[in-house]
Amino acid sequence: MSRRLIIIWLVFVFTLFFITAYYCFHKNNPVLLIASEITIPVLFALTVWIIDRILRPYKTMSRSVNMLREGDFSSTLVKTGNGDVDSLIEVYNSMISQLREERLSVREKNHFLDLLIDSSPMGIIVLDLDEKIMDLNRAATRYLGNTGGKFKGMHLSMVESHLAKAICNAEYEKKQSVALADGRKYLCVRLFFMDHGFRHPFYIIEELTDEIRKAEKEAYGKIIRMMAHEVNNTIGPVNSIMTSVVSSPSSFIDNDREEIISVLNVAIQRNYQMNRFMQGFSNVVKLPAPEKERMELNSSLKVVADSFLPVLKTKNANLVFSPDPSNPVIIADRSQMEQVFTNIIKNAVEAIGENGSVWIATTLKPLAITFEDDGQGIDPDVSDKLFTPFFSGKPGGQGIGLTLSQEILRNHGFAFTLTNRKEGGVIFTIFPGTRN
């Protein structure tokens, strides 16, 4: 319409100019000359007006393109009264309204997704194209052992975390079970999502420690209760009979009396040992809730450590206790925590050889209790089984010491780590102020 209009107008104007020039040249008519001088500016003005109307849609298009380029989806165009321009404005306003709604919807969904990921109990680690950490949620930060969010931009293999080093070379879509030396167990899977045509890898980490521990406890609890029931039902009557016989030796033949009494005493002692053996298993299942009180770490540790001095003396070994001078205090069940200290020191004393050393230290900032020894350390083949009930790396061990210690520390909400020393030996650290 506009193109046809301008063509017709230009043909009319130039035809009129041609006729006027012809008459002015051949007729020498002053009136026609004056009329042409008045008409030409008017026609020029009309031409400018027509061209402006024709170019107005293009100006509108140019302004709308600039608004889109700048990302302005909040402004709309006002109709001008020109049918062609108003049709273009209507399409633009409809498009911009739809884009604004879709953009708002995407933002709301992204915000919800961010909240969901950040509050998820599963750890999520997103990597960039260079396999470096691009983003991670709070659970992943906690699993990697850091609360400051300093992992961004680092490669997983460079993160000082046993979990990170265990999963950094995981295969895509293949679930991997990871058991750490502190008894915690994780299920990890490496996946990817597409972004601008590129594959972005990410990890999903699920902690299975509590679920596995609960299932294990239910399983071995049934076994222990059954064993304890049968053993106690047998030992009780047997001990009663043998005690009665020992208390009335006159019924025996004189020649065999002393030998029979000796044998019966040995049997009674063996029964008591069996009772204590079963009691150790029962303690894991029937561990009472901690009765917490103020507990001075230095004095409690010294009492437990001093009880091992005779054993260390036979090995010509050293025990070095370095208490923090500020005398740190924790809120805990004293008897249960001293049982943990006893189990840890006992393992350290058994691990060192002649002329070995055990170090115990307390610190206030951070609040921690550290046990070190210079033994042979933890065999990598058994490191992921140390906190498994009934597993022991020592000949004749029951495998309940570390399990019981782990149970007590978890009930108190205390974090702990168990790692090998670079110089040889083991470091067991308890963090009473941190929940594991």
Side-chain angles (χ1 to χ4, degrees):
M1 177 69 180
S2 298
R3 182 172 178 271
R4 187 185 307 164
L5 179 62
I6 195 172
I7 291 174
I8 294 172
W9 177 254
L10 290 176
V11 169
F12 170 73
V13 169
F14 281 107
T15 302
L16 187 60
F17 284 169
F18 176 77
I19 294 172
T20 303
Y22 176 79
Y23 274 99
C24 289
F25 180 75
H26 290 283
K27 301 295 182 178
N28 194 18
N29 190 339
V31 177
L32 188 60
L33 181 61
I34 294 172
S36 64
E37 289 177 350
I38 296 172
T39 305
I40 289 173
V42 173
L43 293 177
F44 178 79
L46 288 174
T47 303
V48 171
W49 178 79
I50 292 173
I51 292 174
D52 180 68
R53 285 182 60 85
I54 293 172
L55 294 180
R56 193 173 297 172
Y58 299 100
K59 293 179 180 178
T60 302
M61 289 178 61
S62 177
R63 189 170 61 174
S64 61
V65 167
N66 289 333
M67 291 168 64
L68 289 175
R69 184 181 294 115
E70 294 172 0
D72 184 2
F73 299 113
S74 60
S75 301
T76 56
L77 300 177
V78 180
K79 291 185 178 181
T80 63
N82 185 310
D84 294 334
V85 177
D86 290 348
S87 176
L88 179 63
I89 289 175
E90 186 176 349
V91 172
Y92 173 81
N93 288 344
S94 174
M95 179 188 68
I96 208 71
S97 177
Q98 185 176 356
L99 286 175
R100 182 170 59 248
E101 291 177 1
E102 291 180 357
R103 189 179 189 185
L104 180 61
S105 175
V106 169
R107 282 182 176 177
E108 290 174 346
K109 290 179 180 178
N110 285 341
H111 180 63
F112 172 72
L113 183 61
D114 290 340
L115 292 176
L116 186 64
I117 291 175
D118 195 50
S119 60
S120 171
M122 293 189 296
I124 299 176
I125 305 174
V126 182
L127 306 182
D128 60 17
L129 300 179
D130 295 323
E131 297 286 326
K132 294 181 179 179
I133 297 176
M134 185 170 67
D135 199 8
L136 69 170
N137 64 352
R138 285 182 292 180
T141 303
R142 187 173 68 253
Y143 294 160
L144 296 181
N146 181 276
T147 57
K150 299 179 180 178
F151 295 136
K152 291 185 179 180
M154 296 178 61
H155 194 280
L156 267 180
S157 60
M158 303 301 294
V159 176
E160 290 297 328
S161 167
H162 296 290
L163 177 61
K165 288 178 169 51
I167 67 174
C168 63
N169 295 319
E171 299 180 13
Y172 278 110
E173 299 182 352
K174 185 176 181 181
K175 293 184 178 180
Q176 178 182 355
S177 178
V178 178
L180 303 184
D182 62 357
R184 308 197 74 79
K185 298 177 177 63
Y186 301 90
L187 182 65
C188 307
V189 60
R190 177 184 170 104
L191 303 170
F192 68 88
F193 65 92
M194 300 301 296
D195 183 22
H196 295 86
F198 295 97
R199 299 204 315 179
H200 279 264
F202 70 98
Y203 288 89
I204 297 178
I205 307 171
E206 182 179 5
E207 184 176 3
L208 304 177
T209 307
D210 294 336
E211 289 78 3
I212 293 177
R213 187 163 57 90
K214 183 178 179 181
E216 288 177 345
K217 191 173 181 179
E218 290 178 355
Y220 65 66
K222 293 179 181 179
I223 297 174
I224 290 173
R225 284 192 291 270
M226 181 183 65
M227 292 169 59
H229 176 75
E230 295 299 328
V231 170
N232 291 334
N233 284 350
T234 302
I235 290 177
V238 171
N239 270 353
S240 178
I241 294 171
M242 289 191 293
T243 302
S244 299
V245 172
V246 171
S247 62
S248 303
S250 58
S251 60
F252 300 145
I253 301 174
D254 291 341
N255 293 337
D256 298 329
R257 180 179 301 173
E258 292 183 1
E259 183 178 350
I260 291 175
I261 291 175
S262 175
V263 171
L264 290 176
N265 283 328
V266 171
I268 291 172
Q269 291 301 317
R270 292 293 297 170
N271 281 347
Y272 284 137
Q273 289 178 7
M274 184 176 292
N275 263 332
R276 288 194 296 270
F277 178 83
M278 289 306 305
Q279 188 63 38
F281 288 111
S282 298
N283 287 339
V284 179
V285 180
K286 298 184 294 184
L287 183 66
E291 298 179 3
K292 297 182 180 181
E293 58 180 321
R294 286 176 58 84
M295 174 181 171
E296 293 183 357
L297 284 179
N298 293 346
S299 59
S300 181
L301 281 166
K302 181 169 176 52
V303 170
V304 177
D306 287 347
S307 66
F308 286 90
L309 292 178
V311 180
L312 291 166
K313 188 175 181 181
T314 61
K315 286 189 170 186
N316 195 29
N318 299 317
L319 190 149
V320 181
F321 181 37
S322 304
D324 191 286
S326 59
N327 195 19
V329 175
I330 64 172
I331 306 299
D333 187 311
R334 181 181 298 274
S335 62
Q336 291 188 10
M337 288 303 299
E338 288 184 352
Q339 180 64 50
V340 173
F341 300 157
T342 300
N343 291 341
I344 297 173
I345 298 174
K346 179 175 177 290
N347 288 339
V349 171
E350 292 175 351
I352 63 175
E354 298 290 332
N355 303 315
S357 296
V358 176
W359 297 271
I360 305 173
T362 60
T363 56
L364 183 61
K365 294 182 180 180
L367 183 58
I369 312 160
T370 305
F371 304 85
E372 296 187 45
D373 66 70
D374 58 357
Q376 294 183 351
I378 303 171
D379 189 338
D381 295 334
V382 302
S383 62
D384 59 342
K385 303 175 184 176
L386 287 177
F387 292 94
T388 302
F390 315 135
F391 174 82
S392 177
K394 297 177 290 188
Q398 293 179 245
I400 62 174
L402 283 177
T403 303
L404 181 61
S405 299
Q406 176 185 238
E407 192 77 13
I408 292 173
L409 293 174
R410 292 274 167 79
N411 289 347
H412 279 76
F414 294 167
F416 63 92
T417 59
L418 177 61
T419 57
N420 281 327
R421 294 174 72 237
K422 293 181 180 180
E423 305 84 356
V426 168
I427 304 176
F428 196 121
T429 307
I430 301 173
F431 302 96
T434 307
R435 180 171 293 277
N436 208 356

